[in-house]
């Protein structure tokens, strides 16, 4: 799956301030950057995820080996928000090829699928309550519109998170067939298809 045309969405969120040639810069890291994740980011991803989910539900959507698994198979379906080189929020997804999620969707990546399964969205505790989660989700959904074979995004969440995802445009699909320990989930979806005009006019094709 080519993502070259989608690169306008994966760039620093703001340009670093100009510096006089006579002034030495202390570092060259952008103040704020959004980019795909890679396996070198896996430990930072898992640390944020573990802190965010274990305290609330007692379960992580992805274990460390599963994080590495998806960042190896489909890094282009991940997105990380970095502040001065530090990961502060992320999304990890993979492709799925069925109408509804099943247990296999938790670990499989289906390269020929047209549905992006969003496994996890998490924000570092220091950066919560700043709107970073919704902003990153918005950027991620815009990015998915640049992938010509993607038709929709799906996720499963606990009921208390339904209002959060509804604000991002997701709709309830129904009860999810997947259970984890004693947890049950609602499946939600977001339409990606029908954006041919947008693809033509953003250099995505």
């Amino acid at each position: 799956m080519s993502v070259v045309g989608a690169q306008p969405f994966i760039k620093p969120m703001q340009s670093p301030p100009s510096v006089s040639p006579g002034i030495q810069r202390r570092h060259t890291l952008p103040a704020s950057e959004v980019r795909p994740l890679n396996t070198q980011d896996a430990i930072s991803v898992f640390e944020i995820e573990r802190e965010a989910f274990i305290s609330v539900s007692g379960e992580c959507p992805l274990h460390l080996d599963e994080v590495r698994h998806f960042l190896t198979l489909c890094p282009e379906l991940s997105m990380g928000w970095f502040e001065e080189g530090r990961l502060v929020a992320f999304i990890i997804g993979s492709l799925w090829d069925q109408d509804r999620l099943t247990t296999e969707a938790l670990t499989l990546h289906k390269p020929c699928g047209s549905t992006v399964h969003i496994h996890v969205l998490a924000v570092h505790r220091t950066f919560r309550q700043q709107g970073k989660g919704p902003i990153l989700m918005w950027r991620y959904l815009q990015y998915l519109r640049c992938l010509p074979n993607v038709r929709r995004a799906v996720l499963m969440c606990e009921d208390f998170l339904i209002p959060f995802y509804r604000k991002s445009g997701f709709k309830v699909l129904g009860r999810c067939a997947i259970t984890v320990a004693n947890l049950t989930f609602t499946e939600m979806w977001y339409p990606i298809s029908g954006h041919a005009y947008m693809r033509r006019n953003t250099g995505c094709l």
Side-chain angles (χ1 to χ4, degrees):
M1 179 182 299
S2 173
V3 296
V4 174
Q7 290 305 306
F9 291 105
I10 308 297
K11 63 183 181 180
M13 297 184 68
Q14 60 185 39
S15 300
S18 59
V19 179
S20 170
I23 299 177
Q24 294 283 336
R25 293 195 64 185
R26 294 185 178 181
H27 58 74
T28 57
L29 293 173
S32 188
E33 178 189 26
V34 171
R35 64 164 173 81
L37 298 167
N38 57 59
T39 54
Q40 293 181 340
D41 301 312
I43 292 177
S44 296
V45 164
F46 184 65
E47 288 176 348
I48 293 173
E49 181 196 17
R50 182 174 55 186
E51 189 280 329
F53 286 90
I54 291 293
S55 61
V56 176
S57 63
E59 296 285 341
C60 281
L62 297 174
H63 296 293
L64 180 57
D65 59 337
E66 294 168 333
V67 171
R68 290 191 174 114
H69 171 72
F70 287 118
L71 295 185
T72 298
L73 290 179
C74 47
E76 73 279 4
L77 295 176
S78 69
M79 184 175 285
W81 185 337
F82 295 80
E83 297 280 357
E84 296 185 349
R86 178 188 183 188
L87 181 65
V88 301
F90 69 88
I91 293 173
I92 292 179
S94 65
L95 286 175
W96 185 238
D97 61 357
Q98 298 181 31
D99 292 337
R100 300 293 297 268
L101 295 175
T102 67
T103 303
E104 289 75 18
L106 299 180
T107 56
L108 296 182
H109 168 60
K110 298 284 192 175
C112 295
S114 60
T115 294
V116 171
H117 173 203
I118 299 175
H119 293 271
V120 57
L121 160 65
V123 179
H124 191 284
R125 63 181 180 275
T126 306
F127 297 88
R128 291 174 197 154
Q129 306 303 318
Q130 299 178 21
K132 282 183 165 53
I135 291 172
L136 186 63
M137 178 61 79
W138 181 86
R139 289 177 67 93
Y140 187 75
L141 294 173
Q142 301 308 305
Y143 168 72
L144 293 184
R145 288 182 172 128
C146 290
L147 305 181
N149 296 324
V150 172
R151 293 293 172 260
R152 63 179 191 146
V154 299
L155 56 82
M156 60 185 222
C157 67
E158 293 181 73
D159 288 352
F160 74 92
L161 286 171
I162 291 175
F164 173 84
Y165 287 112
R166 273 186 168 147
K167 289 179 181 178
S168 293
F170 284 82
K171 300 176 183 178
V172 171
L173 194 55
R175 298 306 296 176
C176 186
I178 301 170
T179 59
V180 178
N182 294 322
L183 300 177
T184 60
F185 304 93
T186 293
E187 197 167 331
M188 304 187 74
W189 74 288
Y190 181 94
I192 302 295
S193 59
H195 297 286
Y197 173 84
M198 185 174 192
R199 293 189 180 107
R200 287 197 303 270
N201 289 275
T202 58
C204 296
L205 296 180

